[in-house]
């Protein structure tokens, strides 16, 4: 799977934070990174709120999200090179200052980069991926791969470097096996459409639980 970097310009206002969280959930869903959505949403909320609190409401800023190896990298860019995020030793009763402490707790690492006319506050989250273009391998994925390896000699996992031709071969292998199962269901008097609907419902429910 190719995970292309993306950016989103926003104005540092409290009402914008919810939109950033929705955008993060949508894009990470497309990337198949459901397991890190909650952590990523918390981090983007804190990084954006940090700009609002310490640079000023109304500041033009940018959210940038990319992969750095197998880590998810989240950046918030703003034009103020003086107001630097600080990790405070926050007491339990303190009302503020917990933002970067939360980022520090969730992220594998974080930092600040200064340029001539902007500041970049970033953090990187562990994804659990084995490779930058890889997939999470739950029990269903492992069972499917075992079946494909048993049934065909042409199977190669999608996204492992074979390019478009390799992915096409992998997809054709899957399509062939799914088609064979549909023929088997019909031959045994099953309602194929009902089975497909149930499979889609179960698949979507499992995605929601991740």
């Amino acid at each position: 799977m190719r995970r292309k970097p993306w950016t989103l310009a926003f104005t540092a206002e409290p009402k914008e934070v919810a939109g950033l969280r929705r955008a993060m959930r949508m894009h990470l869903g497309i990337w198949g990174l459901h397991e890190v959505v909650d952590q990523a949403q918390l981090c983007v909320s804190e990084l954006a709120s940090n700009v609002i609190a310490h640079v000023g409401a109304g500041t033009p800023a940018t959210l940038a999200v990319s992969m750095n190896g197998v880590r998810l990298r989240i950046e918030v860019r703003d034009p103020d090179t003086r107001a630097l995020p600080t990790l405070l030793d926050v007491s339990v009763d303190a009302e503020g200052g917990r933002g970067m402490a939360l980022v520090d707790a969730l992220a594998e690492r974080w930092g600040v980069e200064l340029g001539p006319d902007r500041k970049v506050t970033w953090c990187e989250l562990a994804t659990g991926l084995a490779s930058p273009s890889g997939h999470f391998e739950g029990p269903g994925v492992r069972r499917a791969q075992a079946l494909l390896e048993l049934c065909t000699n042409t199977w190669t996992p999608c996204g492992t470097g074979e390019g478009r031709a390799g992915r096409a071969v992998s997809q054709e292998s899957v399509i062939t096996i799914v088609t064979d199962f549909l023929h088997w269901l019909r031959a045994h008097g099953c309602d194929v459409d009902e089975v497909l609907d149930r499979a889609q419902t179960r698949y979507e429910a499992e995605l929601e639980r991740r």
Side-chain angles (χ1 to χ4, degrees), residues 37-206:
V37 167
D38 291 341
Q39 300 97 304
Q41 286 186 311
L42 285 171
C43 286
V44 76
S45 293
E46 296 303 333
L47 294 180
S49 297
N50 197 68
V51 177
I52 297 169
H54 300 291
V55 180
T59 299
T62 303
L63 169 65
V65 181
S66 61
M67 295 296 296
N68 184 15
V70 295
R71 296 186 182 94
L72 176 69
R73 184 178 176 92
I74 302 169
E75 299 179 359
V76 170
R77 306 165 182 170
D78 70 75
D80 192 326
T81 59
R82 296 168 299 172
L84 302 181
T86 304
L87 181 61
L88 302 177
D89 184 10
V90 182
S91 67
V92 175
D93 297 328
E95 294 183 0
R98 291 196 176 94
M100 295 313 298
L102 180 58
V103 171
D104 184 68
L106 293 172
E108 280 205 338
R109 56 188 184 180
W110 68 274
V112 182
E113 298 175 1
L114 296 178
D117 57 356
R118 74 173 183 179
K119 172 174 80 265
V120 178
T121 307
W122 59 269
C123 67
E124 293 182 353
L125 302 177
T127 63
L129 296 173
S131 67
S133 59
H135 304 264
F136 289 103
E137 294 194 356
V141 175
R142 289 192 293 270
R143 288 194 298 268
Q145 182 167 332
L147 178 62
L148 285 161
E149 290 173 351
L150 179 66
C151 295
T152 177
N153 293 324
T154 60
W155 164 251
T156 53
C158 294
T160 54
E162 299 87 352
R164 184 176 299 175
R167 288 193 296 273
V169 171
S170 300
Q171 291 171 9
E172 283 302 316
S173 299
V174 173
I175 291 168
T176 297
I177 291 177
V178 171
T179 303
D180 288 344
F181 273 120
L182 296 179
H183 284 301
W184 183 91
L185 289 166
R186 183 173 180 274
H188 286 78
C190 300
D191 186 329
V192 172
D193 290 333
E194 179 186 355
V195 172
L196 288 173
D197 288 342
R198 289 172 58 191
Q200 181 70 22
T201 299
R202 181 179 298 181
Y203 169 71
E204 291 173 353
E206 290 178 356

